[in-house]
Amino acid sequence: MKKYSIPRLVKTKGKRKLVCLTAYDVFSATMIQESSVDMILVGDTLGHVIQGRQSTLPVTLEHIIYHADIVVRNAPDRLVIADMPFGSFGVSTEETVRHCVHVMKESGAGAVKMEGTDASILESIAQLNRIGVPVMGHLGFRPQSVNVYGYKIDGKTDDDANRLIEEAQALAEAGVFAMVLECVIEEVAQKITESVPVLTIGIGSGRYTDGQVLVFHDILGMTQGRLPSFVRQYANLSEVAQQAIENWAEDVRNSQYPSDQEIYQVK
Ligand code: KIV
């Protein structure tokens, strides 16, 4: 697949569905580089799937830069979007812009993502656009604000639906090229998709967004515990890996490993 171009990706709106998957390391990046997936999100979900934390809040700028740098080098033809972690944006426009530029410079990511539509965030998005940093927004359920709003499906009431549509329009006017819609009622996600000229990438938001994103570890069965109902698991790599580990352990115990071919000998 050819190297990405954000304007070219945006032009696909309404013509074909875009596919986005998270990645954090050499394995996930290489798999995606060899696939037809359009975009990679180095999400702060790395707090869960890589660091084993209960929330995404402890993820730092340094963590995102570390993982985004690995992904960019191993998926050079894909648009890599670096997720701005909790507390790294929204305090002031100046600080947000400085942190986003730092992430782009240090990791080589092609864009950044920020949750929310606070006035300071909208101002930062416009400023970032002026200086060459493409931004993806994030509406609906926002994991970084879980302590304020809890876990909820957004857009259930008319008020919530109208607020979401207004927020999406504000993001588009500020200059995002795309926005993630997380856990938004399908009908509302569809209205948003039809009312903004930029890409909507859904996760748990139904069928009518411009594209879909899921977590790499979730679709491949590399996580433990219950998955959200919108996740479709396409493989069970945990089971395969567990079995492989047990097979090797058994071979070691039975002196079946190493074999003649697996040792160094003087000829
Ligand atoms: O952090 C992340 O991986 C995300 C996606 C799940 C949308 O924000």
Side-chain angles (χ1 to χ4, degrees), residues 19 22 25 32 36 44 104 133 137 152 155 167 178 184 201 215 230 254 266:
V19 187
T22 67
D25 54 14
I32 298 176
S36 61
D44 61 2
M104 292 262 297
V133 179
K152 74 165 196 168
E167 286 178 344
V184 171
I201 307 296
V215 170
F230 58 78
N254 297 334
V266 179

Side-chain angles (χ1 to χ4, degrees), residues 45-55:
T45 40
L46 70 85
H48 295 293
V49 298
I50 303 292
Q51 300 175 336
R53 298 183 191 274
Q54 293 305 309
S55 85

Side-chain angles (χ1 to χ4, degrees), residues 42-230:
V42 181
D44 61 2
T45 40
L46 70 85
H48 295 293
V49 298
I50 303 292
Q51 300 175 336
R53 298 183 191 274
Q54 293 305 309
S55 85
T56 59
L57 271 61
V59 174
T60 66
L61 269 182
E62 284 64 39
H63 296 152
I64 293 289
I65 291 169
Y66 175 84
H67 289 279
D69 165 60
I70 295 171
V71 172
V72 168
R73 285 186 288 103
N74 289 282
D77 299 330
R78 292 295 176 278
L79 168 60
V80 177
I81 303 149
D83 208 1
M84 296 303 290
F86 174 65
S88 70
F89 61 94
V91 175
S92 72
T93 303
E94 196 187 320
E95 189 182 87
T96 302
V97 171
R98 199 156 16 88
H99 284 161
C100 291
V101 170
H102 180 59
V103 167
M104 292 262 297
K105 226 186 233 298
E106 296 299 314
S107 69
V112 295
K113 175 170 90 59
M114 280 185 273
E115 294 184 10
T117 55
D118 177 73
S120 142
I121 295 172
L122 294 176
E123 203 179 300
S124 305
I125 293 168
Q127 174 67 6
L128 285 162
N129 259 285
R130 287 194 286 272
I131 62 169
V133 179
V135 183
M136 175 183 250
H138 187 142
L139 289 182
F141 172 58
R142 291 185 276 127
Q144 293 176 8
S145 298
V146 69
N147 290 321
V148 179
Y149 302 112
Y151 290 92
K152 74 165 196 168
I153 314 296
D154 208 352
K156 283 184 180 166
T157 66
D158 285 351
D159 281 354
D160 284 341
N162 291 335
R163 172 192 38 84
L164 273 171
I165 294 167
E166 278 168 23
E167 286 178 344
Q169 283 166 350
L171 277 180
E173 273 162 32
V176 297
F177 71 95
M179 62 187 82
V180 166
L181 302 180
E182 182 159 357
C183 297
V184 171
I185 294 291
E186 183 178 63
E187 195 188 321
V188 181
Q190 182 176 14
K191 278 195 184 138
I192 291 173
T193 302
E194 287 165 358
S195 71
V196 293
V198 299
L199 301 167
T200 58
I201 307 296
I203 173 162
S205 298
R207 293 160 287 186
Y208 305 112
T209 51
D210 295 312
Q212 298 282 339
V213 57
L214 282 177
V215 170
F216 185 86
H217 291 58
D218 288 349
I219 66 165
L220 292 177
M222 296 168 76
T223 42
Q224 313 290 336
R226 221 164 63 92
L227 291 171
S229 60
F230 58 78

